[in-house]
Amino acid sequence: MKAPLGWFVHARSGDKGGDANLGLWVAHDGVPTDTTAERYDARVAWLLDLVTPDFVRTLLPEAAALEVEVFALPNLGGVNVVLHGLLGQGVAASTRFDPQAKGLGEWARSRYVEIPEDLGGTP
Amino acid sequence: MTETRPLRIGNCSGFYGDRLSAMREMLEGGQGGQGGQSLDVLTGDYLAELTMLILGRDQLRDPALGYARTFVRQLEDCLGLALEQGVKIVSNAGGLNPAGLAARIGEIASPQGLSPKVAYVDGDDVRSAAFPGALTANAYLGGFGIAAALASGADVVVTGRVTDASLVVGPAVWWHGWSPTAYDELAGAVAAGHVLECGCQATGGNFSGFRLVPNPAQPLGFPLAEVSDDGSSVITKHEGTGGVVSLDTVTAQLMYEVQSTAYLGPDVTTRLDTIELSEDGPNRVRISGVRGVEPPGQLKVGVTVLGGHRNSVDFVLTGLDVEEKAAWVRAQLEAQLTAASVSWSLGSLPPPDADTEEGSSTVLRCTVQDPSPEPVGRAFSSAAVELALASYPGFTMTAPPGSGTPYGVYRAEYVDRSTVKQAVHHADGSCEVIP
């Protein structure tokens, strides 16, 4: 089914100089509420497999031309993504709409992706 | 100090401008009754990358400044309470001028009849040594200077640029007596410090699971950690405060502002892929299993330079032909501008037949930058304002453009440790160099 990535994935984003940092991880206690331990594990495996640099560049077209790195953190149920140069010269110099990438994670969560039915829970 | 019980360490600031009342809340929240948990140390982080620029500009105007002035206001209110409770205060509010801040604390203490032992840590400023053209250049120091200050009996320790996590690492080193090669313990403290450093971001702030945060009108409590002598910790908050500490709020903060699976720091490289989280009761999350390895040979330096001057204006475009309206005002304004850089962004196009004026409108932003102030100052604002009756139908701006503001550019550099002479200036006037 097509659903927002944020259906069961949390995010936090921020800046380091001109790079944006984006953490994505599977919710432990969020919505939907039918999360079992087994389903949590399956969601983590799916997310770790899904998020590649190319996936990020497609999910966030503003990063299409950027170097993107993805670091798996299975112990935290997710990935850390670095989008190099998204913020230009850094917070004070950036003319970007969101120069500190505070909202980047919420934008990413609002993007629609194909989620396997057996992971999605009951909308 | 050979205590073995966990160090109870709180945070009352995640940035310069955070909730002013948080210092008092964290001290009072630990007083008996209501199951409150007393603190041993209260920390505050005031130094974002951007903050060094702000302090650098402050100091250009007045060399006696360069520290976080809100911290002084907080101490004016709370120093007596902290001393009475025996809670140590540790903060990087010294910014570019920790010596000046330490002196200022003495000035506010004596009228209250207080005589705290104030120590400060410096040596982070490597501008003259390595980056003479910069506005600011500060190495990110570790926690051992803070630990030495506390070991000598300081009640208040203020520093310049230390890593945010050092504010927890230093007190934990002091409390547990860890050696510089106790990498796993140090890495555990870094993890706890990284969770605490952004204040309410550990307790439900800026959290994508916000719908589960209880009682939306109650201010979020600030976080605290109980750091054990093996480096493991429990993240929690004072009982009865707002917000929530959960696996997800702690994960959120561990994922924040990291750039790899290895979190490089001056005291230890923390292996983020070894962190284990578990629930430890309501609003309590345990961090364990954290492994550390030897830190890099060089220290990171945050360098800021004055980049130039900038200004912007937001034009409101309403109704039909929004793109053509944008194109016209853009052509008109650009013909008048001399700024080195001019950039435009147009918001979402309004839907047809919108049933409110706001819904029928969007914003066109013009941002200008230039090495000198004039092209982005009056030359820019006047050019925009003079179009008011001479441009697209429905011309209005969200606000008249102001005078331009200077901006800085931040970059990370690296220096050998020998470039940096970290020193602790104890309350008795003696100075101790930290290797």
Side-chain angles (χ1 to χ4, degrees):
Chain A
M1 64 177 184
K2 279 274 190 191
L5 179 63
W7 178 238
F8 54 73
V9 173
H10 281 320
R12 175 163 292 169
S13 56
D15 64 307
K16 276 279 182 194
D19 299 340
N21 153 262
L22 170 66
L24 298 168
W25 71 98
V26 173
H28 292 87
D29 52 6
V31 178
T33 53
D34 58 347
T35 307
T36 61
E38 195 174 59
R39 181 167 262 174
Y40 170 82
D41 290 343
R43 286 172 174 170
V44 171
W46 170 79
L47 184 68
L48 292 177
D49 189 52
L50 177 75
V51 183
T52 62
D54 279 339
F55 169 81
V56 173
R57 284 187 283 257
T58 306
L59 185 78
L60 306 174
E62 293 176 8
L66 300 180
E67 183 197 341
V68 174
E69 289 183 285
V70 176
F71 301 97
L73 292 168
N75 53 316
L76 298 176
V79 295
N80 173 46
V81 181
V82 180
L83 298 91
H84 291 278
L86 183 74
L87 309 178
Q89 290 178 298
V91 51
S94 181
T95 58
R96 197 183 150 73
F97 170 67
D98 172 22
Q100 286 183 275
K102 295 289 187 188
L104 183 68
E106 290 303 299
W107 179 37
R109 292 182 67 240
S110 75
R111 296 286 287 167
Y112 276 63
V113 297
E114 186 64 37
I115 295 178
E117 297 286 343
D118 57 331
L119 296 186
T122 312
Chain B
M1 179 66 61
T2 52
E3 293 278 352
T4 52
R5 74 166 172 83
L7 168 71
R8 292 179 179 140
I9 184 165
N11 168 284
C12 68
S13 176
F15 71 106
Y16 188 12
D18 211 340
R19 196 158 84 221
L20 203 60
S21 59
M23 184 179 283
R24 176 162 283 277
E25 289 166 27
M26 287 305 287
L27 292 170
E28 289 183 340
Q31 287 175 323
Q34 307 304 313
Q37 206 168 22
S38 66
L39 294 175
D40 301 305
V41 178
L42 180 57
T43 67
D45 173 25
Y46 296 80
L47 300 182
E49 291 175 353
L50 172 66
T51 313
M52 298 307 263
L53 277 170
I54 295 168
L55 296 176
R57 293 209 299 256
D58 275 0
Q59 220 177 13
L60 286 180
R61 288 197 303 273
D62 180 354
L65 296 177
Y67 54 79
R69 285 174 282 174
T70 51
F71 176 71
V72 176
R73 289 173 59 195
Q74 289 175 311
L75 273 190
E76 274 184 304
D77 177 44
C78 298
L79 183 58
L81 180 59
L83 290 171
E84 183 187 312
Q85 295 184 345
V87 179
K88 310 284 189 183
I89 304 283
V90 177
S91 154
N92 61 9
L96 297 169
N97 188 7
L101 175 58
R104 183 82 189 104
I105 293 168
E107 288 169 16
I108 62 161
S110 27
Q112 298 189 45
L114 303 171
S115 45
K117 290 183 183 170
V118 182
Y120 68 93
V121 179
D122 67 6
D124 57 302
D125 190 338
V126 293
R127 179 174 35 180
S128 57
F131 304 96
L135 175 62
T136 68
N138 297 77
Y140 287 80
L141 302 182
F144 281 84
I146 292 168
L150 292 169
S152 289
D155 300 307
V156 179
V157 184
V158 293
T159 74
R161 179 82 272 180
V162 298
T163 70
D164 301 341
S166 294
L167 298 173
V168 170
V169 172
V173 165
W174 161 65
W175 191 262
H176 294 301
W178 295 332
S179 79
T181 55
Y183 293 132
D184 291 343
E185 289 85 347
L186 293 169
V190 166
H194 188 54
V195 172
L196 256 53
E197 73 179 63
C198 292
C200 297
Q201 283 201 164
T203 61
N206 187 22
F207 172 48
S208 53
F210 71 98
R211 287 179 296 175
L212 296 180
V213 176
N215 193 357
Q218 190 181 15
L220 301 180
F222 278 70
L224 66 94
E226 301 162 2
V227 183
S228 297
D229 63 2
D230 66 353
S232 67
S233 63
V234 171
I235 306 299
T236 184
K237 63 188 183 70
H238 284 317
E239 209 159 293
T241 56
V244 62
V245 176
S246 70
L247 291 174
D248 286 326
T249 68
V250 172
T251 300
Q253 193 51 29
L254 288 171
M255 289 269 188
Y256 184 63
E257 292 186 338
V258 296
Q259 293 180 292
S260 160
T261 54
Y263 189 57
L264 307 180
D267 294 324
V268 63
T269 292
T270 302
R271 294 262 317 276
L272 299 173
D273 53 357
T274 60
I275 296 174
E276 290 166 29
L277 301 182
S278 56
E279 286 170 334
D280 188 67
N283 289 310
R284 293 174 63 82
V285 172
R286 176 171 295 279
I287 302 177
S288 61
V290 188
R291 305 300 300 269
V293 294
E294 192 178 346
Q298 291 192 306
L299 294 179
K300 179 177 167 180
V301 178
V303 178
T304 67
V305 296
L306 282 176
H309 299 259
R310 65 189 292 175
N311 204 349
S312 68
V313 59
D314 288 353
F315 299 103
V316 181
L317 308 169
T318 305
L320 303 176
D321 306 323
V322 158
E323 287 169 293
E324 291 81 357
K325 289 169 179 169
W328 189 23
V329 72
R330 179 173 173 163
Q332 289 179 306
L333 189 58
E334 279 192 349
Q336 303 296 319
L337 296 182
T338 57
S341 159
V342 181
S343 61
W344 296 84
S345 69
L346 179 61
S348 304
L349 295 182
D353 198 24
D355 61 2
T356 64
E357 183 181 338
E358 190 175 358
S360 174
S361 301
T362 191
V363 169
L364 172 69
R365 169 167 297 173
C366 177
T367 303
V368 290
Q369 296 179 329
D370 198 86
S372 56
E374 296 80 16
V376 306
R378 183 174 291 268
F380 171 72
S381 55
S382 295
V385 169
E386 285 169 6
L387 293 172
L389 307 181
S391 186
Y392 64 89
F395 180 108
T396 184
M397 298 175 286
T398 55
S403 52
T405 54
Y407 71 89
V409 177
Y410 173 95
R411 71 175 192 273
E413 296 275 1
Y414 298 87
V415 297
D416 291 332
R417 286 172 186 263
S418 58
T419 310
V420 177
K421 305 274 184 267
Q422 181 177 186
V424 183
H425 303 263
H426 296 293
D428 63 6
S430 65
C431 176
E432 178 181 352
V433 173
I434 304 299

